[in-house]
Amino acid sequence: MATAWRERSRAAREAGFPYVHALLNEGREAGASLPHSHTQLAWLSEPPPTVVAEGEPGSECAVCAHIASELGASHERAILELDGIVLLAAYGGRLPYELLIAPREHPGGSGYESDLLLAALTVLAEALRRLHSLEGPVPLNAWLHDEGHWHIEVLPRLTVFAGIELGAGIYVNSLAPEDAAAALREEGPKKA
Ligand SMILES: [Zn+2]
Ligand SMILES: [Zn+2]
């Protein structure tokens, strides 16, 4: 998948679309158009608003600061680290098991061109394996944010957004990120 993403993102740039939004929709409740899991790449003429909003106004990288604080203290939201990629339960996650996958060190350049992309996708697959083993075939969305400190966000759709979330932007998460991380840690690596 890493190779396919890299090749398609190069094709997009050559065609004049500098930003590629890679996404995974799994399950009809998460908007999947096909019954099986598949990834899509949307070619965009500029970074989308969510990515722009994440951009660092100052010189500090928000993702670096976040990882340093998550791994520096109690590790209670850290799930695993593999080949330079960390998997964290999202601090202040909107929904149960919201996850963040990112290079531990600040990457230079696009995720599509990174040597760490394969490791990041391997961590994504392992995270989904553990999630499915805990909760069954939950619908979910995942995507790559490819600017600055690129990262993958995973949003399982165990609960639906209702009036409070959609209307007020207040997310009622019934599972604390610390508990989600503990459950996913305990799922452990796949036995060989
Ligand atoms: Zn960074
Ligand atoms: Zn992001």
Side-chain angles (χ1 to χ4, degrees):
M1 193 158 95
T3 308
W5 280 17
R6 183 167 299 141
E7 284 171 0
R8 297 305 293 155
S9 77
R10 283 179 188 165
R13 276 198 302 279
E14 278 163 23
F17 294 90
Y19 190 90
V20 172
H21 183 61
L23 62 103
L24 169 69
N25 295 331
E26 211 171 272
R28 289 202 180 276
E29 300 89 333
S33 48
L34 295 169
H36 61 271
S37 154
H38 66 294
T39 64
Q40 293 166 282
L41 295 159
W43 296 8
L44 304 176
S45 55
E46 58 188 34
T50 306
V51 169
V52 173
E54 284 181 351
E56 314 91 81
S59 54
E60 284 250 310
C61 168
V63 177
C64 278
H66 178 66
I67 290 172
S69 89
E70 290 295 293
L71 298 184
S74 63
H75 280 67
E76 60 185 347
R77 285 177 293 270
I79 298 159
L80 70 88
E81 185 168 352
L82 174 82
D83 297 338
I85 298 290
V86 292
L87 171 63
L88 303 171
Y91 177 75
R94 287 162 285 188
L95 288 170
Y97 298 105
E98 184 170 348
L99 304 173
L100 174 70
I101 296 166
R104 179 166 189 163
E105 306 295 336
H106 191 83
S110 165
Y112 295 106
E113 300 295 334
S114 172
D115 291 342
L116 294 172
L117 180 60
L118 180 60
L121 294 175
T122 303
V123 168
L124 172 63
E126 174 64 11
L128 299 188
R129 186 195 66 76
R130 293 187 192 189
L131 179 68
H132 291 152
S133 131
L134 283 168
E135 299 287 344
V138 296
L140 61 92
N141 304 107
W143 52 79
L144 175 72
H145 276 163
D146 188 39
E147 197 151 86
H149 196 140
W150 61 267
H151 55 275
I152 295 172
E153 297 174 13
V154 183
L155 196 62
R157 307 293 290 278
L158 280 163
T159 53
V160 297
F161 290 143
I164 187 80
E165 293 88 0
L166 294 171
I170 296 169
Y171 295 93
V172 182
N173 185 349
S174 57
L175 179 69
E178 298 75 30
D179 296 336
L184 289 167
R185 272 195 306 269
E186 279 159 26
E187 255 330 281
K190 187 188 264 176
K191 288 174 193 79

